[in-house]
Amino acid sequence: MSEPPPDLVSDAVRAPGDAAWWPGLPVEGAVAAVSGAVAAGAPVELRPDAVHPLPPLPPNVAAGMPGDAVLRITDRLVDLDLDLDLGRRLGPATAVLRPPSLVVGVGAARGVSAEEVVGLVRDALRDAGLSPLSVARLATVDAKAGEPGLLGAAESLGGPLVAYPAERLAGIAVPHPSEASLAAVGTPSVAEAAALADGGELLVPKRKSAPPGRPADATCAVVRRAPRGRLAVLGTGPGAAMDPLTPHAVAELRRASVVVGPERYAARIRELLRPGTLFLAPGGTADDERCRTAVERAVAGHAVALIGNGDAGAYPTDAVDVVDVVVVPGVRAATAAGSAGPGREGPEHVCVALADAYAPWGSVERRVRAAATTGAAVTLYGPCGGGRDGEWVRALGALAEHRPSDTPVMIVRNASRPDDSGRLTTLGRVDPACVDMMTVVTVGNTATRALAGHAVTPRGHRWQS
């Protein structure tokens, strides 16, 4: 028998994170041939079994696209049309991407071997026409969480072992409850209930292992979860273009097929997006509308990035529990202002947004006064704009009640942009007219001093005394 060409080998490989495939997931089949077709712009037919959170694919990869290459996305076993005896391909070059859609519930007697569990699971998947490469995790009852055989089986199958309290599993309706299981671990079902704990479709009901010459020590059940969309909430940084955008934020932007954010941010990040990425800017300045759009797209199964200025973690984010949510830390405007301006905010500081779009001014003012009493440095976001000049002056007055008039104040506009500018003044000499919505103001803490045109905050008791 002749050896097949390299691109006919069907052993699964992990797709590189920056490939056109779903990042980091197993792909098997004619990977080289299909990758080459994608890169060359040749027609590639996309055959997903559902909407999955894929990165944007080029226009030559689409459902119903006739061609000599096929990209399938499924957890089912696939006939790759290979004639290994003759070393030839019988049909279109096919690569199969394996989504993490299967949850395997497992029950086990004490001392069960990993080999018995793995053999049972693989047989159950094969008989159901399912790929073990799509197993997302094994699930069991918490009484079995430390069983070495289950931990070894999870490692062998490439997913974690998760465990649920018996009380939770006991409340899940299953087709095959067991009085023996109820007496042993406090729930009438382990395998089926653990597999169904987070919802899904039961594909393989409870099944027992069949070791020769002795009773079964393992049971399993298989559930398919509906695909979950992905919502990455990230900040693009306060500066221009990619400065200072974190590598994690760049990776999430390239992974997303839909990016939602204000139109004014689009130019800064558009060069980072893959071709075919959809950029949406609904609602003008309405944050609620952008959040709603991002969640709706993620719930529909897409990979979505919701972008904002600065650090997304500095603002509240609500999400639904039917999508995978990732919050990407970013560079805050206060940090960028410390690098661009005449001093840093110090090791202890409080940030307060003066914009009253999310809270009435009374609440904002109480926060400013509370921050002033701490003695820490206070950074004010959005000090002026939208008819709020009077509020900005009142915030200064609240700080002046608790800080001496010679407390250094750092004022930085357009931090990390080419036209950034900074000045150093004092709390008693601040000109309220010198700020706007693009300005970050940091009032030093009780130990901050002006030194050679810079605000310096010493660290350690010896220096402060």
Side-chain angles (χ1 to χ4, degrees):
M1 183 177 74
S2 60
E3 291 295 322
D7 69 339
L8 289 183
V9 177
S10 60
D11 290 339
V13 298
R14 288 277 168 177
D18 201 44
W21 321 106
W22 195 346
L25 294 184
V27 58
E28 59 183 337
V31 179
V34 176
S35 297
V38 173
V44 177
E45 182 182 359
L46 181 65
R47 296 181 190 171
D49 57 8
V51 177
H52 294 283
L54 290 169
L57 295 172
N60 61 305
V61 183
M65 177 82 72
D68 294 330
V70 175
L71 174 58
R72 294 198 60 178
I73 308 171
T74 182
D75 57 21
R76 296 191 175 279
L77 296 177
V78 173
D79 183 359
L80 295 174
D81 294 326
L82 305 181
D83 186 339
L84 297 181
D85 287 327
L86 298 178
R88 65 183 180 181
R89 184 183 301 112
L90 301 179
T94 300
V96 185
L97 190 63
R98 298 300 187 184
S101 55
L102 304 178
V103 177
V104 180
V106 287
R110 180 177 299 177
V112 68
S113 70
E115 291 76 16
E116 182 170 347
V117 177
V118 171
L120 169 64
V121 171
R122 289 191 179 277
D123 288 347
L125 293 171
R126 182 197 61 231
D127 293 347
L130 301 170
S131 171
L133 293 174
S134 281
V135 173
R137 61 177 183 260
L138 269 61
T140 191
V141 66
D142 54 5
K144 299 294 181 179
E147 191 66 46
L150 295 186
L151 293 168
E155 182 178 2
S156 177
L157 292 166
L161 176 68
V162 298
Y164 300 97
E167 295 80 3
R168 178 175 175 183
L169 298 186
I172 299 174
V174 297
H176 303 98
S178 165
E179 291 295 330
S181 175
L182 177 61
V185 293
T187 172
S189 172
V190 173
E192 289 178 338
L196 288 165
D198 292 322
E201 176 190 3
L202 184 63
L203 301 180
V204 180
K206 183 174 71 173
R207 173 170 173 162
K208 295 182 179 180
S209 58
R214 62 174 177 82
D217 279 344
T219 60
C220 80
V222 182
V223 161
R224 176 186 287 134
R225 301 182 304 170
R228 291 171 63 91
R230 179 181 175 88
L231 176 60
V233 184
L234 58 97
T236 60
M242 293 179 289
D243 180 25
L245 193 63
T246 65
H248 190 176
V250 172
E252 289 294 345
L253 286 171
R254 292 187 58 76
R255 178 171 181 169
S257 61
V258 180
V259 176
V260 181
E263 181 61 38
R264 64 184 182 277
Y265 298 161
R268 295 174 53 194
I269 53 91
R270 201 176 292 278
E271 65 182 88
L272 299 175
L273 305 180
R274 294 180 186 273
T277 303
L278 178 64
F279 188 96
L280 300 176
T285 59
D287 289 344
D288 289 350
E289 185 61 30
R290 285 194 292 272
C291 290
R292 186 178 300 109
T293 298
V295 169
E296 288 173 351
R297 292 279 178 161
V299 169
H302 300 286
V304 182
L306 174 61
I307 65 171
N309 211 2
D311 178 14
Y315 296 91
T317 303
D318 294 327
V320 292
D321 60 2
V322 295
V323 301
D324 295 323
V325 179
V326 178
V327 178
V328 182
V331 178
R332 296 181 302 124
T335 303
S339 300
R344 299 189 61 79
E345 69 272 21
E348 295 86 23
H349 63 278
V350 180
C351 295
V352 181
L354 295 188
D356 55 3
Y358 304 104
W361 169 250
S363 296
V364 175
E365 185 174 18
R366 284 194 294 272
R367 294 167 188 169
V368 174
R369 291 185 178 278
T373 63
T374 65
V378 179
T379 296
L380 303 176
Y381 282 85
C384 200
R388 291 183 290 100
D389 298 2
E391 285 85 348
W392 152 239
V393 175
R394 290 166 65 183
L396 281 181
L399 289 164
E401 292 176 10
H402 299 275
R403 307 287 167 91
S405 61
D406 62 349
T407 301
V409 176
M410 296 154 279
I411 301 174
V412 178
R413 189 177 189 279
N414 285 339
S416 294
R417 289 179 169 85
D419 59 344
D420 61 7
S421 61
R423 67 175 70 180
L424 179 65
T425 184
T426 63
L427 190 55
R429 300 175 63 88
V430 174
D431 178 5
C434 72
V435 301
D436 59 17
M437 282 297 291
M438 302 304 295
T439 304
V440 173
V441 178
T442 298
V443 179
N445 70 17
T446 53
T448 305
R449 297 291 182 267
L451 179 64
H454 289 265
V456 178
T457 303
R459 301 192 67 174
H461 298 298
R462 180 169 67 90
W463 292 106
Q464 292 189 23
S465 61

